[in-house]
Amino acid sequence: GGITAAISRKTGLLSKFAYRGGELFSKPLMPNFWRPSTDNDYGANLQKVMASWRDAGAKAMLLEGPSVKKNSDSVLVSAKLAICGSAAELTLSYEVFAHGVRVDAKYEPMWTKGIAA
């Protein structure tokens, strides 16, 4: 073991991760939806059209949770975030074991629920 993890009640993000007392994160583990622009992106002006996604992870808002479920060999923490205003929801799950943390993310655009962004 020797793993210590902390999930922020305010943001729902994995904010601390330590092994044997040594902190491994300099800042919270944040979702990232941006990639470097390509020539095709510039041709379609996507660097401006899709600019709201550049900071979508940093601007995410906690909708639900974090909720905690204790299992026999792990602790599961889940949180739901609003992404890009309310264009999508992101459900983050952190399963903390004695030997590490498994992170899962489920992205769901609001249009799939019949809601226009």
Side-chain angles (χ1 to χ4, degrees):
I3 296 289
T4 304
I7 289 84
S8 169
R9 292 179 195 263
K10 182 179 175 185
T11 65
L13 300 177
L14 182 62
S15 57
K16 294 185 181 208
F17 185 66
Y19 178 68
R20 294 187 179 170
E23 181 60 45
L24 301 174
F25 285 3
S26 62
K27 58 185 179 179
L29 183 63
M30 191 174 307
N32 181 7
F33 298 94
W34 196 252
R35 62 167 174 73
S37 298
T38 65
D39 288 342
N40 287 340
D41 294 336
Y42 289 116
N45 209 25
L46 293 180
Q47 77 281 6
K48 293 180 183 174
V49 173
M50 304 301 268
S52 62
W53 290 96
R54 178 183 292 268
D55 298 319
K59 294 179 180 177
M61 301 295 293
L62 184 64
L63 293 175
E64 295 176 14
S67 63
V68 178
K69 179 182 175 190
K70 294 181 182 180
N71 300 313
S72 61
D73 64 342
S74 66
V75 175
L76 179 64
V77 181
S78 298
K80 185 179 286 188
L81 309 177
I83 300 293
C84 218
S86 294
E89 290 179 353
L90 183 69
T91 302
L92 298 172
S93 299
Y94 311 99
E95 192 163 11
V96 183
F97 297 89
H99 60 276
V101 178
R102 182 176 69 202
V103 180
D104 290 313
K106 179 184 175 195
Y107 171 83
E108 189 171 13
M110 292 289 74
W111 62 264
T112 63
K113 295 181 174 187
I115 301 170

